Amino acid sequence: MSQEGILFGMGNPLLDISAVVDNELLEKHDLKLNTAILAEEKHLSLCEYEELVSNYNVAYIAGGATQNSIRVAQWMLQIPGATSYMGSIGKDKFAEEMKKNATKAGVHYYEDDAPTGTCGVCVVGGERSLVANLSAANCYKVDHLKKPENWALVEKAKYYYIAGFFLTVSPESVLLVAEHAEANNKIFSTKSICTFICEFFKDVQDKVIPYADYVFGNETEARTFSKKIIPLQNYLKSDLADGKNVEEIALKISQLPNAPGKTGKRIAVITHGCNPVVVAEDGKVKLLPVILLPKEKLVDTNGAGDAFVGRFLSQLVLEKPTEECVRAGCYAANVIIQRSGCTYPDKPDFN
């Protein structure tokens, strides 16, 4: 099978402006570590980066969850043109900076008059808090996807990945790709159980997950999502209420109903920090080991989950078994957290 254009992603391309900060900055903007939020008015001085650039040493890195994952997949595959990606950027210096970082991943940007979207990455002790100002990323329209030259990329692909935040921007585009995958017996994957989507975009989430062959998430996201899929009275009586049973949550996600006419199983893949990765499929749960890293080697967890997904997908498109996909995902996450932002060396060292 040809690998050209085999993996397609859509998302919110954001330029990460990353800095090691102090707890005072987090408290000032009411931010918490290990969370990702959309900027409110109180965050704008941070998201426009005057505060970060003026007071801290910053790094500019092409970001956005799906773009990170597609870039990592392309890096791991080392096959020119294996991936493609769509999203909306502006026509400014941040857009040019992003293009320099992302060209190898087959990026096809829609350019809007709004400023390029940015994400403040505030790092404390290796842990991160993300504040996204979508701006131009929020302007993507399904009409761009439907252009023949763009839809041709969708038709060429056999595997698709769209992270949750894009549901807030163009749910029509997400559903169009998901329906195409289902109708053509292709593989659709998503990370749409993220906390923000669970809380504010439940209706769209409910339409997308039935199409998913793979659902990714971390333990925090899984716990939030579990409150939605389990009746409240049962939830409060169960181990799920204090997060003791991520395995049961993963199993329930894998068993959610499929879209009408869709056959085949769903696999839920939940990362859990330094604990084993939880994989639920065929009514069973597997716990697969991660690569442990001494704390003194931890630099920045930003992009670790995206890297895991990207490397997982890079093996999935090669038709590797789930266990091998997880092992590869853990390798990529281990590489990323020893560097600043979602960056990586020229070539992977994975066997």
Side-chain angles (χ1 to χ4, degrees), residues 222-236:
R223 288 166 183 160
T224 302
F225 187 71
S226 72
K227 297 176 185 178
K228 196 189 101 168
I229 62 176
I230 299 168
L232 181 61
Q233 63 272 24
N234 295 335
Y235 179 85
L236 294 175

Side-chain angles (χ1 to χ4, degrees), residues 52-351:
L52 283 177
V53 172
S54 299
N55 299 306
Y56 303 94
N57 293 322
V58 301
Y60 298 92
I61 305 162
T66 304
Q67 183 166 234
N68 284 343
S69 295
I70 297 298
R71 287 174 55 231
V72 168
Q74 179 62 57
W75 169 63
M76 296 297 282
L77 283 166
Q78 293 288 303
I79 301 170
T83 64
S84 58
Y85 170 84
M86 287 183 201
S88 178
I89 61 173
K91 303 172 183 177
D92 51 23
K93 63 179 182 179
F94 284 164
E96 295 306 312
E97 193 73 37
M98 183 122 62
K99 289 175 185 177
K100 285 192 282 186
N101 282 267
T103 52
K104 289 183 180 179
V107 170
H108 296 260
Y109 290 129
Y110 165 75
E111 295 189 359
D112 191 80
D113 291 330
T116 296
T118 47
C119 182
V121 181
C122 303
V123 181
V124 177
E127 305 293 323
R128 89 290 186 269
S129 181
L130 307 179
V131 188
N133 182 24
L134 296 182
S135 197
N138 204 35
C139 299
Y140 191 86
K141 300 292 187 292
V142 71
D143 291 345
H144 179 257
L145 175 63
K146 289 179 177 179
K147 288 183 177 181
E149 65 271 26
N150 294 332
W151 188 251
L153 299 173
V154 177
E155 292 183 324
K156 179 184 286 189
K158 300 292 188 293
Y159 296 82
Y160 306 90
Y161 174 66
I162 302 176
F165 275 106
F166 198 60
L167 295 180
T168 72
V169 172
S170 185
E172 302 92 345
S173 297
V174 179
L175 285 168
L176 201 61
V177 172
E179 289 165 358
H180 170 83
E182 188 274 325
N184 292 275
N185 199 29
K186 299 178 180 181
I187 302 299
F188 178 75
S189 55
T190 183
K191 192 174 186 286
S192 58
I193 64 169
C194 44
T195 301
F196 183 83
I197 302 301
C198 291
E199 292 176 348
F200 300 106
F201 291 87
K202 177 181 178 295
D203 290 345
V204 180
Q205 184 185 55
D206 287 344
K207 294 177 182 177
V208 171
I209 288 181
Y211 288 97
D213 298 284
Y214 288 83
V215 175
F216 298 96
N218 62 39
E219 80 281 5
T220 302
E221 294 164 341
R223 288 166 183 160
T224 302
F225 187 71
S226 72
K227 297 176 185 178
K228 196 189 101 168
I229 62 176
I230 299 168
L232 181 61
Q233 63 272 24
N234 295 335
Y235 179 85
L236 294 175
K237 295 176 183 177
S238 74
D239 287 341
L240 303 181
D242 56 14
K244 287 182 179 177
N245 203 336
V246 175
E247 295 94 328
E248 184 181 340
I249 299 171
L251 192 61
K252 290 186 180 296
I253 292 172
S254 73
Q255 295 172 336
L256 289 172
N258 280 340
K262 179 174 175 57
T263 59
K265 63 186 177 183
R266 177 180 301 108
I267 299 176
V269 182
I270 309 297
T271 58
H272 196 182
C274 61
N275 298 301
V277 177
V278 180
V279 177
E281 62 176 309
D282 295 327
K284 298 177 182 178
V285 173
K286 299 176 185 175
L287 301 179
L288 302 176
V290 301
I291 303 171
L292 296 177
L293 182 74
K295 190 167 184 179
E296 60 271 17
K297 290 189 176 182
L298 176 65
V299 174
D300 179 3
T301 58
N302 180 38
D306 301 334
F308 174 90
V309 172
R311 186 46 170 139
F312 186 106
L313 294 171
S314 75
Q315 296 303 284
L316 185 65
V317 304
L318 297 177
E319 301 182 351
K320 302 288 186 180
T322 302
E323 290 82 358
E324 187 67 11
C325 295
V326 169
R327 188 173 77 87
C330 291
Y331 162 78
N334 187 267
V335 170
I336 296 301
I337 63 177
Q338 296 184 66
R339 303 168 66 91
S340 180
C342 192
T343 61
Y344 33 76
D346 288 339
K347 291 190 176 181
D349 179 18
F350 176 78
N351 298 309

